Amino acid sequence: MREHIERLAQMLREARYAVALTGAGVSTDSGIPDFRSPGTGLWAQYNPLEVASIGGFRSNPQRFYEFWRQRFAKLADAQPNITHTVLAELEARGYLKCVITQNIDDLHRRAGSKRVLEVHGNYTRGLCLGCKRTYTIHEIFEKVERHRVPLCDHCKNLLKPDVVLFGELLTPDFDQALEEIAQSDLVIVLGSSLEVYPVAGLVPQAKSLGARLVIINRDETSYDRLADLLIRSELHPVMAELRRALSS
């Protein structure tokens, strides 16, 4: 694996515009379970259409909040891990231009990354589906504790975490992500199954525009065949070795 990581370090040194694309596997070392791993992912145990779709949310918001209350509390307790911190270091040192993330956990920002495109939203915020007033997630869950279903103080419409549910469009950050991909000459995918669209479509788009592609993931992805460098591994040892390689 060391040879692969030395090659990755060299690709970063040579890149004019490197971008990282991160998925749920980046945050598992922080104690946040992923969604799609066979047998252990959340969607192997629960029906996402009931607890993670906009239709399910509107039809049974109490069930939605019962499901997510403890999980959102776990996000608040989670701390950035080595992958988050190394990506922040790469940006600070000029190797990385931005992070495009499918994660809603805010850990990239907390680790120090400045340019983070959150295409699926950020769990720390919420908004009213009626008047669009914003709330913190703490304010929303205080209302959940008192009333089970949180309603807006101003128009009494439902409050929703500012995260993309199944059946919703991605955030405006996705438009910016398209622009970043168009400029990139190196895209590094970390901890993503590349099964969720339209985000997964950024990978063949980058390749079609001439960017080199690195995929670092524990499991196989459907775009492995496009990779210029494929590292099949847990992220922690890779990022520790990459930090060493770029420090030498």
Side-chain angles (χ1 to χ4, degrees), residues 10 15 38-39 62 93 120 132 138 145 199 205 237 240:
Q10 188 59 33
Q62 182 175 331
R93 295 176 64 185
H120 289 163
K132 307 304 181 185
H138 301 292
E145 290 294 329
V199 177
Q205 179 175 345

Side-chain angles (χ1 to χ4, degrees), residues 18-215:
V19 171
L21 171 60
T22 69
V26 164
S27 295
T28 54
D29 283 337
S30 296
I32 300 172
D34 68 11
F35 293 93
R36 295 177 180 274
S37 290
T40 60
L42 278 179
W43 302 152
Q45 305 168 58
Y46 302 94
N47 182 352
L49 295 181
E50 292 181 3
V51 296
S53 72
I54 188 61
F57 173 76
R58 288 184 180 277
S59 65
N60 194 344
Q62 182 175 331
R63 165 70 171 136
F64 174 91
Y65 280 108
E66 286 173 352
F67 177 83
W68 286 108
R69 180 168 55 184
Q70 289 185 340
R71 290 170 175 83
F72 276 30
K74 194 167 188 177
L75 293 183
D77 292 337
Q79 297 299 316
N81 62 57
I82 188 172
T83 302
H84 299 108
T85 57
V86 169
L87 290 176
E89 291 166 10
L90 292 177
E91 181 188 21
R93 295 176 64 185
Y95 288 119
L96 195 66
K97 297 300 184 183
C98 77
V99 173
I100 302 167
T101 187
Q102 298 170 277
N103 298 334
I104 63 170
D105 52 37
D106 201 43
L107 292 180
H108 283 299
R109 294 187 186 280
R110 289 174 56 195
S113 290
K114 305 300 183 187
R115 295 198 66 228
V116 182
L117 300 178
E118 297 167 317
V119 297
H120 289 163
N122 185 311
Y123 89 100
T124 64
R125 306 182 297 260
L127 76 162
C128 171
L129 292 181
C131 67
K132 307 304 181 185
R133 289 178 184 266
T134 59
Y135 291 79
T136 69
I137 199 66
H138 301 292
E139 291 172 325
I140 289 178
F141 277 99
E142 284 176 358
K143 292 176 178 291
V144 171
E145 290 294 329
R146 295 198 303 269
H147 309 296
R148 296 191 177 181
V149 175
L151 301 178
C152 178
D153 295 330
H154 303 274
C155 71
K156 305 307 178 186
N157 264 290
L158 272 174
L159 301 182
K160 173 186 169 293
D162 193 14
V163 300
V164 175
L165 303 178
F166 290 105
E168 292 188 295
L169 297 176
L170 298 191
T171 72
D173 278 8
F174 185 69
D175 292 332
Q176 181 63 40
L178 290 169
E179 295 180 15
E180 294 295 315
I181 289 295
Q183 296 184 72
S184 67
D185 59 351
L186 175 64
V187 175
I188 305 171
V189 178
L190 303 102
S192 177
S193 63
L194 297 177
E195 293 180 4
V196 178
Y197 289 84
V199 177
L202 295 175
V203 170
Q205 179 175 345
K207 285 294 292 184
S208 71
L209 294 172
R212 292 197 286 181
L213 173 65
V214 178
I215 297 178

Side-chain angles (χ1 to χ4, degrees), residues 197-235:
Y197 289 84
V199 177
L202 295 175
V203 170
Q205 179 175 345
K207 285 294 292 184
S208 71
L209 294 172
R212 292 197 286 181
L213 173 65
V214 178
I215 297 178
I216 310 170
N217 198 52
R218 181 190 64 192
D219 302 317
E220 182 179 353
T221 83
S222 58
Y223 288 118
D224 286 356
R225 69 190 185 281
L226 297 182
D228 297 278
L229 177 62
L230 177 64
I231 302 176
R232 190 73 56 74
S233 171
E234 299 286 353
L235 290 173

Side-chain angles (χ1 to χ4, degrees), residues 5-21:
I5 296 170
E6 291 288 351
R7 185 179 173 204
L8 172 57
Q10 188 59 33
M11 292 170 82
L12 279 163
R13 292 188 186 102
E14 295 169 352
R16 172 189 53 81
Y17 206 99
V19 171
L21 171 60

